[in-house]
Amino acid sequence: MPFFDEPNARPAAPSGIAARAMAARSNQNNAPDYLNGLNPEQRLAVETTEGPVLVLAGAGTGKTRVLTTRIAHILATGKAFPSQILAVTFTNKAAREMKQRIGLLIGDGNVEGMPWLGTFHSIGVKLLRRHAELAGLKSDFTILDTDDVVRLIKQLIQAEGLDDKRWPAKQFAQMIDGWKNKGLGPADIPEGDARAFANGKGRELYKAYQERLKTLNACDFGDLLCHPIRIFRANPDVLKEYHKRFRYILVDEYQDTNTAQYMWLRLLAQRPQSSPLEGEEILFYVASRGHHADIGGTAPGSMTPLATTVDEEGVLFDNFRIVDRGRFREKDLETLLTDHPYPARNPHQNIADLKAQIAANEKGVAELRKMVAHFGLDVVEAYMGHVQDNAAESVRRVLERLPDSSEYEYPTDTGQMIRVKISVDRRKREATVDFTGTSPVMKNNFNAPEPVARAAVLYAFRVMVEDNIPMNAGCLRPINIIIPDGSMLKPAYPAAVVAGNVETSQHVTNALFGAMGAMANAQGTMNNLTFGNKQYQYYETICSGSPAGRMNDGRGFAGTSGVHTHMTNSRLTDPEVLELRFPVLLEDFHIREGSGGRGKWNAGDGTKRTIRFLEKMECAILSSHRNRPPQGLDGGGDGEVGSTKIRRKDGRVEVLKACDQTVLDAGEAVIVTTPTPGGFGKA
């Protein structure tokens, strides 16, 4: 008789586990609804919440029902939060069925709060993105499909001078997949297997394949299990983090021929005795900030240059609680992203990115806990105070070198003006940064929310410290900031603000360094380039060079060519990855030698970037310094203005405005020439 049978079936001679099942059945009238209909053995398996439980049953006898009901019981009885349950199965279909069943039993909201319910590989992706650096990858790695893998292997075979018809790439891809299913890396494969392909070069090709994946910041399907296994083995602290996280691990089914799945499960399941729960007093807050590729608006990438209200720039979140009592409010979030005059183009990507930010916060929480456990709470809190105290004192020493009063005016391409005055109170060892006289809010999107201006002030004084201290609020303790109401640096709803974050922030930074006599103008823009359609959305900022200037002790310095400066420090997507993910071709990206401002100390040189489109795309540029060059300082020469041009298929070249958008057909190209920074001192 099978272990699980029809609900009314009873064992012939109740004893041991069967006797306990009968006792459980006798209380069934008082049972929660989700337990109704279970036979005694099924109910016993569901209600056994301590220690391991093994279910042995034939096909169609209720294994998945028991597992999903057991999850419902664990949640309903408060044994664990949804995020503390790891539930895995083999197929996407089975994972969807599990979610549906749990949702029917106790409500969809609890399922939405279960980030660790899925297939081995989908959970492997989450693990790997959290710890990508430990596998030599970046967290935004690409997962290659079978066709991509075969193409890559074919390139490696040809590079070795081998006949790809005699040694088919598809055959070797299957061999690699088989090795990874056994958890074998290049150094682990049996000698016989290594010699079975390409005249004995199987191991070398496998190794070259893994190295090429790392270069491309990519992995294949097998890596989604193999990389986490290696990470867990090499980093016991990471594995311990998951031992603490998962109070329950439930497995619906797995391939018993797949050794990697077994190894992965065994590492996670073999954990030490759990420690007592920590208290619930709030000790710290952890936050993460990210730039989403698109949140709606009138142009792909949500960086439209033509917006005059914030609604045209995309969806506005106003204190939306994204996680409520452990439940991720995915449906409400999706509604917020889509129920808008200009909705998000890829809401599922936004939701995934927000989940990643929550995961980043969880990582921060784990690291803080490790720190407190290692040093003690009193020491951690004391040193957090020391860090801020040191930052405040470091900025006060900077103020000692500044004049009593200094001012700077910074005109923009839009006809607006940023005015700043820095006054030093030597008795109090404080300074006032006053933006009175700055232009008011205007019907463009160069208005910068007050936190953006404050961040620029924080950044500028942190740079002036010239010491290796962490960025923290202590830097602003000796600084009083005045921003008048109605200023373009203090807008109110519904003013458009997207250029304020990326362009005006650069202008404020240039004005501050100019007022302190520290640096010539940087390029004063991020050259925000966005393009996309319904399927693709992409955003990048394009670097110029850094300006020349002088240190606090009076020593001058030259700028550096082709680097991001000040309020943008993002790295561009690698050309190979850009062309793999998007239908574009990077024709040209080079440093324009001699383009930086001249002086006793020369500025760094700018760049030129040409991208040709292989599909029809909308394209937008949000930029500055297209009609006035960044200025030099103390007699140094100005830089050069930038430009954005469109090369049409018929050979015509159109010059876009500083803030503009257009449509490009396949074969047409956008050419961005960056402004260049100013020099310092008379030559």
Side-chain angles (χ1 to χ4, degrees):
M1 172 179 165
F3 189 83
F4 290 119
D5 206 336
E6 295 303 315
N8 293 324
R10 295 172 179 266
S15 61
I17 189 170
R20 284 182 283 146
M22 293 282 287
R25 183 182 176 86
S26 68
N27 296 322
Q28 192 150 357
N29 290 336
N30 299 320
D33 290 343
Y34 57 78
L35 293 177
N36 292 340
L38 296 177
N39 68 31
E41 291 85 359
Q42 290 172 330
R43 181 167 172 182
L44 179 63
V46 166
E47 294 184 303
T48 302
T49 56
E50 300 300 326
V53 175
L54 175 64
V55 173
L56 299 175
T61 55
K63 297 185 298 298
T64 301
R65 179 184 182 187
V66 167
L67 184 140
T68 53
T69 307
R70 191 165 186 256
I71 292 173
H73 182 67
I74 290 168
L75 295 174
T77 55
K79 296 288 185 181
F81 292 112
S83 61
Q84 294 175 316
I85 297 174
L86 171 64
V88 291
T89 186
F90 179 63
T91 66
N92 288 319
K93 180 182 178 182
R96 286 193 298 270
E97 182 182 346
M98 287 171 63
K99 291 181 180 180
Q100 290 168 357
R101 290 192 182 194
I102 298 170
L104 290 172
L105 290 170
I106 55 173
D108 291 336
N110 289 290
V111 186
E112 291 172 8
M114 291 188 65
W116 302 102
L117 189 160
T119 66
F120 283 90
H121 293 93
S122 68
I123 292 171
V125 172
K126 292 181 182 180
L127 292 170
L128 190 52
R129 293 210 188 277
R130 286 166 62 91
H131 307 288
E133 72 283 356
L134 298 179
L137 299 170
K138 302 173 187 174
S139 60
D140 61 346
F141 61 82
T142 302
I143 303 170
L144 301 188
D145 61 21
T146 303
D147 291 339
D148 289 332
V149 168
V150 171
R151 277 194 293 269
L152 179 56
I153 292 175
K154 186 174 183 179
Q155 292 173 7
L156 295 172
I157 291 172
Q158 292 173 342
E160 285 289 325
L162 298 168
D163 184 351
D164 58 29
K165 292 183 179 179
R166 182 181 179 190
W167 305 108
K170 188 173 183 179
Q171 177 187 348
F172 194 57
Q174 292 170 346
M175 293 177 69
I176 290 176
D177 184 59
W179 291 330
K180 290 187 177 182
N181 285 342
K182 296 177 182 178
L184 302 177
D188 307 318
I189 59 175
E191 193 63 33
D193 286 4
R195 294 186 177 279
F197 189 84
N199 300 321
K201 293 187 177 181
R203 191 188 310 277
E204 289 79 7
L205 281 171
Y206 186 9
K207 183 178 180 181
Y209 170 71
Q210 290 300 118
E211 290 173 350
R212 181 66 64 85
L213 286 177
K214 193 175 294 186
T215 300
L216 292 172
N217 191 35
C219 63
D220 60 23
F221 210 53
D223 287 330
L224 301 181
L225 289 180
C226 290
H227 279 323
I229 289 170
R230 295 188 186 97
I231 289 170
F232 289 156
R233 286 175 170 171
N235 302 273
D237 57 324
V238 174
L239 181 58
K240 187 177 179 181
E241 175 188 335
Y242 291 99
H243 287 162
K244 291 180 178 179
R245 172 183 294 275
F246 299 135
R247 297 179 67 88
Y248 291 92
I249 298 176
L250 299 99
V251 184
D252 182 34
E253 60 177 310
Y254 76 100
Q255 287 180 303
D256 54 9
T257 59
N258 191 309
T259 308
Q261 291 181 14
Y262 171 74
M263 295 162 63
W264 183 88
L265 276 171
R266 183 171 177 172
L267 284 165
L268 287 169
Q270 289 185 334
R271 54 185 167 189
Q273 293 293 319
S274 58
S275 57
L277 293 175
E278 299 179 40
E280 295 186 359
E281 179 186 357
I282 296 177
L283 302 175
F284 309 101
Y285 288 95
V286 176
S288 60
R289 183 182 180 192
H291 190 126
H292 290 244
D294 182 281
I295 55 165
T298 59
S302 306
M303 299 291 289
T304 173
L306 308 179
T308 57
T309 69
V310 70
D311 289 324
E312 294 173 316
E313 297 172 336
V315 178
L316 175 64
F317 284 54
D318 186 6
N319 285 332
F320 173 73
R321 185 189 292 271
I322 193 168
V323 176
D324 188 6
R325 287 170 290 184
R327 180 178 68 89
F328 184 76
R329 298 173 59 197
E330 186 161 343
K331 288 186 177 178
D332 296 330
L333 177 59
E334 185 172 2
T335 299
L336 184 61
L337 288 165
T338 56
D339 186 15
H340 189 274
Y342 308 102
R345 290 165 178 81
N346 193 344
H348 297 295
Q349 183 182 66
N350 297 123
I351 290 169
D353 287 341
L354 287 166
K355 288 179 178 178
Q357 288 186 254
I358 293 171
N361 286 354
E362 289 289 341
K363 175 65 173 175
V365 169
E367 292 302 313
L368 275 170
R369 283 178 172 162
K370 284 168 58 178
M371 193 186 303
V372 170
H374 184 76
F375 295 104
L377 179 60
D378 56 339
V379 173
V380 173
E381 289 184 324
Y383 272 85
M384 286 189 169
H386 298 336
V387 166
Q388 294 184 45
D389 292 343
N390 178 63
E393 178 59 29
S394 298
V395 171
R396 288 191 173 101
R397 288 196 291 267
V398 170
L399 300 182
E400 293 171 358
R401 304 187 184 101
L402 297 181
D404 291 345
S405 180
S406 56
E407 300 180 36
Y408 198 87
E409 291 187 348
Y410 193 93
T412 70
D413 284 4
T414 60
Q416 293 163 279
M417 178 72 71
I418 293 172
R419 290 187 173 90
V420 62
K421 180 178 181 180
I422 302 176
S423 304
V424 178
D425 186 326
R426 304 208 178 277
R427 184 180 63 83
K428 293 182 178 180
R429 301 181 73 207
E430 294 179 352
T432 297
V433 178
D434 189 352
F435 290 98
T436 300
T438 294
S439 295
V441 171
M442 295 185 68
K443 272 286 189 179
N444 59 33
N445 54 16
F446 279 75
N447 309 296
E450 182 181 4
V452 172
R454 295 181 65 85
V457 175
L458 169 61
Y459 164 79
F461 279 95
R462 162 64 186 85
V463 169
M464 293 296 292
V465 167
E466 295 180 3
D467 198 2
N468 188 23
I469 66 170
M471 183 81 81
N472 66 86
C475 295
L476 286 183
R477 195 180 294 168
I479 309 296
N480 303 305
I481 302 173
I482 298 174
I483 304 176
D485 291 337
S487 162
M488 65 181 289
L489 303 182
K490 199 174 183 179
Y493 180 85
V497 295
V498 70
N501 184 44
V502 295
E503 295 296 291
T504 305
S505 62
Q506 296 282 61
H507 304 161
V508 172
T509 306
N510 275 346
L512 289 165
F513 284 126
M516 291 186 281
M519 266 188 279
N521 291 171
Q523 68 165 330
T525 179
M526 297 187 191
N527 299 294
N528 306 272
L529 183 70
T530 55
F531 58 79
N533 52 30
K534 289 184 178 180
Q535 184 175 0
Y536 301 99
Q537 301 90 39
Y538 180 73
Y539 164 57
E540 68 180 22
T541 58
I542 303 173
C543 64
S544 178
S546 65
R550 64 180 162 203
M551 308 293 286
N552 290 331
D553 62 6
R555 289 178 294 127
F557 61 85
T560 302
S561 300
V563 294
H564 280 290
T565 55
H566 300 333
M567 304 306 283
T568 176
N569 59 2
S570 55
R571 298 175 63 182
L572 278 176
T573 305
D574 293 338
E576 297 85 355
V577 176
L578 175 67
E579 294 175 353
L580 180 68
R581 295 182 181 175
F582 298 93
V584 298
L585 182 70
L586 182 61
E587 285 189 1
D588 174 50
F589 187 34
H590 72 273
I591 292 173
R592 295 156 42 230
E593 294 186 8
S595 59
R598 304 290 93 181
K600 183 176 181 181
W601 301 95
N602 294 333
D605 296 327
T607 64
K608 184 176 182 180
R609 186 171 175 87
T610 303
I611 299 175
R612 191 198 323 152
F613 294 87
L614 306 181
E615 285 186 16
K616 186 175 183 178
M617 293 271 189
E618 290 183 60
C619 180
I621 184 71
L622 189 60
S623 64
S624 303
H625 285 288
R626 266 43 181 180
N627 62 26
R628 56 175 297 274
Q631 295 179 347
L633 189 66
D634 202 21
D638 294 345
E640 298 178 359
V641 297
S643 68
T644 307
K645 299 178 180 179
I646 303 297
R647 189 185 68 216
R648 299 297 183 185
K649 286 190 292 187
D650 60 8
R652 289 181 298 114
V653 175
E654 299 175 5
V655 179
L656 298 185
K657 293 177 287 189
C659 300
D660 212 344
Q661 64 189 59
T662 187
V663 176
L664 285 82
D665 289 323
E668 298 182 333
V670 59
I671 306 165
V672 179
T673 303
T674 66
T676 57
F680 181 82
K682 291 183 179 180

